[in-house]
Amino acid sequence: MRAQSSATAAPSIAVPVRRDGRGLGTLQAALGVIAFSLTFPATAWGLEGFGPWSLVAVRSVLAAVIAGGCLLALRVPLPDRRHWTGLAVVGGGVVLGFPLLTTLALRTSTTAHAAVVVGLLPLTTALMSALRVGSRPSRTFWTAALAGAAAVLAFTVQQSGGALTTADVYLFAALLVCAAGYTEGGRLARVMPGWQVIGWALVLCLPLTVPVAALALSAEPVRLTAHSVTGLLWVAAGSQFLGLIVWYRGMAAIGIPKASQLQLAQPLLTLVWSVLLLNEHLTVAAPLTAAAVLVCIAVTQRARG
């Protein structure tokens, strides 16, 4: 079933959507956010037994094997040549760039501090969308989006003590490349199923990820534990493939800017997982911030571009 586009898209590429399709698209995008919210804790687990380069390369290879198997089993034809450039942007942004940069950051940063990049991602994605596909959200949308981003930033920075670290360079770079990948992936998901977008992007990266994985595994120490293996499997199958499938379908159905605002809840979900899985401390500010974020999300979902 092909994903449909939002009314917020540019007229030249928009496809009409039904309201029930938007409801399903919102649910799919939300499931993607839940999957992504586990990425940082799972990465922290993975780093207990793998080096950063090994973890990123192996997760990409494993995800590509899953995706390639699905593409072969269903005999999906190769995408049109005009789509390969876009798929390369998706691969560079969400398959390679974001995982590598955030993994490098998590060597010295807590998951709470790293969640800053996720707090800024919805706004950055909306900006990228406006530049790339010509979407023009309303002033109400932008006001709510900025308010939600400010609330998330204030919360996550407060959680990390407000101090900047050397990991911030990696985090802000990850923010930019991921927003570009999300925007391009959402655009491509209008013309092909979302799972094929990420599937072909993963396969396209194999000539690079396979040799890097081999070199990294030989150069970095590996210690297989229940945590490290579970973390690796989740970031490969959950974050890198299944989560992106529903995320791109959701973006195609409700529009890139509105779908991106659902990610305002991602840092808070990540902090909850961090408490449960990593025993990190969560302050009483969390429910207050969560309430503010949910209000902002509700406003952006109702605002018309």
Side-chain angles (χ1 to χ4, degrees):
M1 172 176 146
R2 290 184 178 274
Q4 297 172 311
S5 69
S6 167
T8 61
S12 60
I13 58 176
V15 178
V17 295
R18 299 183 305 179
R19 291 190 180 274
D20 57 350
R22 290 182 182 178
L24 178 60
T26 299
L27 175 61
Q28 291 171 328
L31 290 174
V33 170
I34 293 173
F36 299 152
S37 70
L38 281 160
T39 299
F40 285 171
T43 299
W45 272 10
L47 285 172
E48 293 180 12
F50 295 92
W53 290 90
S54 299
L55 182 61
V56 172
V58 172
R59 70 180 272 186
S60 298
V61 171
L62 290 177
V65 169
I66 298 172
C70 293
L71 293 169
L72 285 174
L74 296 176
R75 299 182 180 180
V76 177
L78 289 172
D80 293 340
R81 294 182 63 181
R82 59 194 174 96
H83 297 319
W84 282 105
T85 299
L87 290 171
V89 174
V90 175
V94 303
V95 175
L96 300 176
F98 187 78
L100 176 60
L101 291 166
T102 54
T103 299
L104 291 173
L106 284 170
R107 291 182 305 166
T108 56
S109 172
T110 65
T111 56
H113 190 80
V116 171
V117 71
V118 180
L120 288 174
L121 189 55
L123 182 59
T124 308
T125 303
L127 289 171
M128 288 278 188
S129 172
L131 294 173
R132 180 66 179 89
V133 302
S135 61
R136 293 294 183 269
S138 65
R139 288 185 179 179
T140 301
F141 178 97
W142 284 116
T143 300
L146 287 170
V152 170
L153 278 174
F155 177 69
T156 52
V157 170
Q158 186 273 333
Q159 287 291 295
S160 63
L164 295 179
T165 68
T166 55
D168 289 324
V169 176
Y170 292 128
L171 293 173
F172 284 114
L175 171 70
L176 295 176
V177 298
C178 189
Y182 277 174
T183 299
E184 199 64 22
R187 186 186 68 82
L188 288 172
R190 297 190 180 107
V191 297
M192 68 176 73
W195 76 271
Q196 292 183 23
V197 174
I198 185 58
W200 286 118
L202 285 163
V203 171
L204 184 64
C205 292
L206 273 175
L208 177 62
T209 55
V210 168
V212 170
L215 289 173
L217 287 172
S218 64
E220 294 178 333
V222 174
R223 185 167 60 92
L224 298 181
T225 65
H227 275 185
S228 63
V229 173
T230 300
L232 171 63
L233 292 178
W234 176 256
V235 292
S239 303
Q240 194 98 60
F241 185 59
L242 297 177
L244 284 170
I245 289 176
V246 291
W247 174 243
Y248 281 141
R249 287 179 67 90
M251 280 200 295
I254 66 176
I256 297 171
K258 287 188 177 181
S260 70
Q261 299 315 302
L262 293 174
Q263 281 196 306
L264 287 169
Q266 186 174 324
L268 304 179
L269 290 173
T270 297
L271 290 172
V272 171
W273 294 124
S274 298
V275 170
L276 296 176
L277 301 177
L278 303 176
N279 296 319
E280 292 189 3
H281 178 66
L282 189 63
T283 68
V284 295
L288 296 177
T289 307
V293 168
L294 289 176
V295 170
C296 293
I297 292 175
V299 173
T300 59
Q301 294 302 299
R302 290 180 179 274
R304 293 183 179 273

